[in-house]
Amino acid sequence: MNQAVKKELMMGNEAIARGLIENGCRIATAYPGTPASEILAAVAAYQKKQGIDMHTQWAVNEKVALEIAYAGCQTGLRTAVAMKQVGLNVASDPLMSAAYMGTAGGFVVISADDPGPHSSQTEQDSRMMAMMAKIPVLDPDSPHQAREMVGMAYTLSETFKTPVMLRPTTRVCHSRQDVRPGEISPMTGKPDFKKDPSRWAATPKFRYQLHLELEEKLSRIAEHPATAPVLRNPKATGRCAVVASGVAAAYTAEGLNDLGLWGRLPFFQVLQPFPLHTAFIHRLLTDFDDVLIVEETTGVIEMQLADRSRIQGKLNGMVPRVGELLPEKIISLLADFTGLEIDLPTLTQAPGRRPTLCAGCPHRASFFAIKKAAPRAIYTSDIGCYTLGLNLKAVDTVLCMGAAISQAAGFYHAYKHEKKRPDIVATIGDSTFFHAGVPALVDAVNQNVRIVLVILDNRTTAMTGSQPTPATGKSATGETLVEVDMETLVKGCGVNFLEVGDPYDTNGFIATVKAAVAYSRIQGPAVVIARHPCIIDLARQGKAADPIEVMVTEACDGCGFCLQHFECPALVAVDDGQRTAVDPLVCNGCGVCLDICPKGAIIEKT
């Protein structure tokens, strides 16, 4: 590496992207999801800036993304796929098979975990999925190490012909650190798919043999020197030790220094939590009387250590099983483990502010119309910005990607024999519809479920940073692609009632949803596409419409209808709640509120 290259301040996800570029990744795919979204965006930026001959792609979902990247590695190329931890659930089917069949080129599966959780349905541990798939997993403690581990992952993958998981967490993905970039080597090697049906298209009889080979690989990976745990303070001695991985290892190193324990408590950083190195397991159980295991989120390292009498961690309740292990918590754990008495300052929790949809968000107008058109309906929804329809009492269920439609069907089947059947309205975003909604809609049509589906089409994947959707017609690098027509797709699913409306046209959109509800009660599934671009994305592109200036007149009596049923952050209660006013610093001039006030107190400035 050229040591003259200056360090750059990089976000963890940018450092991972840099590692992919430096290590000759030829195909990189992803589906956006926090905390992983910036990885592919940064790869695409490097590709464009450096003129690199590679393929980057936002796939329609994580399963498709993994299958594309895996096919690339079957030709001998180095490839990678990135997603968040719940996205790995979607990709689990091909992942399990890919582990059995193995790889030809290096294949890295990046699954970003979200302990906390901060922006996820669960705080599940992707290392558990790696254990189930029987593939090795690497656990970086910082942006710098995440970049280094990309190269380690490719070497491991190519050495043992197996997919390798890289598992950064939110604090690694979104922290920033000075990282010295390495050289970007010229792309070498040509794709060369060698046909081998007994492997690449293995039937159950051959899969048994592949499983035997996989177990043998794991045994050898558990002896691989390059990924062995590292004793960070080799001069420390004693019969007690602490073991940590991931960002918890970085916090543990700081805590040991702060407590003056660096020289007397041996500290091992585990780079590869699974499979845990056989020699390391033997060393821990031979050389130490007590061992503290610090890891997020599940006790993956801990459960591979057989002697429960000397291991302290999540399984015996010493280390919390839920939530992040923040620095102050790890300092407290180290003090308890070593018998130190410390006085940690109590950090008062600042009151949180309820999240809400942006001022001018078209989803708010859609939810208002839905509540007007079907005020006593069951409202199923999905994963995206629009989950905040909870605040407007227009979201009753959120399960997982695409479940809004399936759950709406389930509620219909539960109530269909009742004399008084509730209306059922499902809401799903455009990106989520492409991701997982299409099969559910096909099923709803096939079963003739009497529901309304409102597709909230804001022309982007807004929640994760405005990545393109299949309808956008743009690639990760901005190149023009074929646009997938949503209306044609919906019609192709067999839907007979389809209307497209602009939720900014409040009264017209209410009428459209009412018509869909009336149709669904008698005929079957009805679909309404609520189409209006994300206002943040429009502003980013410099395409925002001219603002409409609004004001609240003296006719306002402080009834609070606009605050409770519309909840635009630009509308605020003043004079001890006696009236409502418009905050000009927040208002973006969408003008939708002109049709909201039942007393007509919100008017356009003249």
Side-chain angles (χ1 to χ4, degrees):
M1 185 178 70
N2 183 2
Q3 294 297 322
V5 176
K6 292 183 179 180
K7 290 184 178 180
E8 297 178 13
L9 185 63
M10 292 186 187
M11 180 190 290
N13 285 340
E14 294 169 341
I16 292 170
R18 180 74 191 192
L20 292 173
I21 293 294
E22 291 173 2
N23 285 280
C25 178
R26 297 285 294 277
I27 296 176
T29 60
Y31 182 80
T34 304
S37 301
E38 297 87 359
I39 296 172
L40 189 79
V43 171
Y46 279 124
Q47 176 191 359
K48 197 170 182 180
K49 182 179 179 180
Q50 303 287 342
I52 298 171
D53 184 17
M54 66 179 296
H55 176 70
T56 55
Q57 178 182 344
W58 291 114
V60 71
N61 63 31
E62 295 86 356
K63 178 178 184 291
V64 172
L66 191 145
E67 290 162 350
I68 292 169
Y70 180 63
C73 90
Q74 287 176 302
T75 72
L77 300 180
R78 285 188 166 187
T79 67
V81 61
M83 63 198 73
K84 68 183 294 178
Q85 86 282 12
V86 287
L88 191 62
N89 300 338
V90 179
S92 61
D93 195 2
L95 177 65
M96 300 298 156
S97 281
Y100 273 49
M101 293 189 292
T103 64
F107 182 42
V108 180
V109 178
I110 304 165
S111 182
D113 281 4
D114 186 25
H118 296 279
S119 58
S120 307
Q121 305 95 291
T122 67
E123 55 175 345
Q124 69 195 56
D125 192 327
S126 292
R127 300 176 304 166
M128 294 291 287
M129 193 75 83
M131 291 180 72
M132 184 163 68
K134 300 185 178 180
I135 62 172
V137 56
L138 303 178
D139 209 353
D141 68 2
S142 62
H144 167 75
Q145 192 174 68
R147 172 186 157 271
E148 288 188 331
M149 279 189 171
V150 172
M152 187 184 295
Y154 274 126
T155 300
L156 190 62
S157 177
E158 290 169 345
T159 301
F160 296 98
K161 303 300 181 186
T162 181
V164 174
M165 182 184 292
L166 180 66
R167 181 250 189 183
T169 58
T170 298
R171 299 298 180 181
V172 172
C173 291
H174 287 166
S175 62
R176 294 182 183 272
Q177 184 180 25
D178 281 338
V179 176
R180 194 185 304 279
E183 294 181 359
I184 299 175
S185 302
M187 293 290 180
T188 58
K190 298 288 185 181
D192 183 17
F193 177 62
K194 300 185 186 304
K195 294 189 177 186
D196 184 1
S198 65
R199 179 184 182 190
W200 303 128
T203 57
K205 180 180 178 180
F206 289 105
R207 293 284 175 128
Y208 175 80
Q209 180 60 38
L210 292 176
H211 191 183
L212 292 174
E213 293 175 9
L214 179 56
E215 292 293 346
E216 191 271 333
K217 284 181 187 178
L218 283 177
S219 297
R220 289 190 289 124
I221 292 170
E223 299 173 352
H224 188 53
T227 57
V230 177
L231 178 59
R232 296 281 298 274
N233 50 353
K235 294 183 179 180
T237 59
R239 297 291 298 178
C240 296
V242 61
V243 176
S245 71
V247 74
Y251 296 159
T252 299
E254 293 175 358
L256 289 171
N257 277 301
D258 291 346
L259 295 173
L261 296 171
W262 187 258
R264 65 185 183 92
L265 185 64
F267 165 45
F268 295 90
Q269 181 184 359
V270 173
L271 308 180
Q272 178 183 284
F274 179 81
L276 196 59
H277 280 66
T278 308
F280 177 65
I281 295 173
H282 177 74
R283 180 179 182 181
L284 283 182
L285 300 181
T286 301
D287 295 355
F288 302 102
D289 297 327
D290 288 294
V291 180
L292 173 65
I293 311 292
V294 185
E295 56 184 322
E296 293 178 330
T297 302
T298 307
V300 168
I301 298 170
E302 192 177 347
M303 68 178 64
Q304 295 174 77
L305 300 169
D307 190 342
R308 300 270 20 100
S309 63
R310 69 183 75 187
I311 305 300
Q312 299 193 52
K314 293 177 179 289
L315 297 184
N316 73 345
M318 182 170 184
V319 179
R321 298 183 182 185
V322 177
E324 285 189 282
L325 295 177
L326 296 173
E328 56 270 20
K329 181 59 185 177
I330 290 180
I331 287 176
S332 177
L333 288 171
L334 292 171
D336 290 344
F337 181 64
T338 56
L340 289 178
E341 291 189 8
I342 59 172
D343 184 19
L344 283 176
T346 302
L347 300 177
T348 56
Q349 190 73 28
R353 186 179 69 175
R354 181 162 103 161
T356 187
L357 295 166
C358 301
C361 177
H363 297 337
R364 176 180 287 104
S366 294
F367 283 125
F368 183 82
I370 289 167
K371 288 294 297 289
K372 281 286 190 179
R376 287 173 293 278
I378 295 174
Y379 308 111
T380 61
S381 197
D382 230 292
I383 308 299
C385 304
Y386 49 90
T387 302
L388 293 172
L390 283 161
N391 298 355
L392 302 170
K393 296 182 174 57
V395 170
D396 295 320
T397 70
V398 178
L399 182 62
C400 64
M401 297 285 278
I405 305 172
S406 306
Q407 288 207 287
F411 282 118
Y412 168 74
H413 291 306
Y415 280 98
K416 67 182 178 183
H417 297 302
E418 300 297 314
K419 289 183 178 179
K420 194 169 183 179
R421 189 179 71 243
D423 295 321
I424 302 166
V425 182
T427 49
I428 190 170
D430 49 341
S431 182
T432 310
F433 176 69
F434 287 120
H435 176 285
V438 176
L441 182 57
V442 170
D443 189 77
V445 170
N446 180 244
Q447 295 291 322
N448 198 37
V449 297
R450 298 178 185 181
I451 63 171
V452 174
L453 169 63
V454 180
I455 302 174
L456 303 168
D457 183 10
N458 62 2
R459 315 305 289 171
T460 189
T461 313
M463 186 174 68
T464 52
S466 296
Q467 294 83 10
T469 75
T472 309
K474 293 292 181 183
S475 72
T477 56
E479 296 173 352
T480 300
L481 301 175
V482 175
E483 296 181 17
V484 176
D485 184 74
M486 185 179 289
E487 291 92 311
T488 302
L489 181 58
V490 171
K491 283 288 188 180
C493 291
V495 171
N496 290 319
F497 183 103
L498 172 62
E499 295 290 339
V500 181
D502 184 347
Y504 269 27
D505 174 15
T506 308
N507 294 325
F509 195 71
I510 291 172
T512 298
V513 178
K514 280 184 176 179
V517 170
Y519 178 92
S520 71
R521 288 170 179 166
I522 302 169
Q523 301 293 328
V527 175
V528 175
I529 298 175
R531 180 164 292 152
H532 195 98
C534 169
I535 49 99
I536 299 296
D537 194 42
L538 281 178
R540 188 181 291 119
Q541 297 178 53
K543 297 179 180 179
D546 293 335
I548 300 170
E549 289 192 73
V550 297
M551 60 177 290
V552 180
T553 69
E554 296 298 324
C556 174
D557 60 5
C559 72
F561 180 90
C562 60
L563 303 178
Q564 297 168 22
H565 297 279
F566 196 60
E567 200 189 67
C568 177
L571 296 175
V572 293
V574 295
D575 299 338
D576 294 327
Q578 295 302 306
R579 57 188 295 272
T580 296
V582 177
D583 184 344
L585 297 178
V586 178
C587 180
N588 70 356
C590 71
V592 176
C593 61
L594 293 171
D595 295 315
I596 299 305
C597 177
K599 299 178 177 65
I602 303 176
I603 64 171
E604 184 175 354
K605 278 186 179 180
T606 56

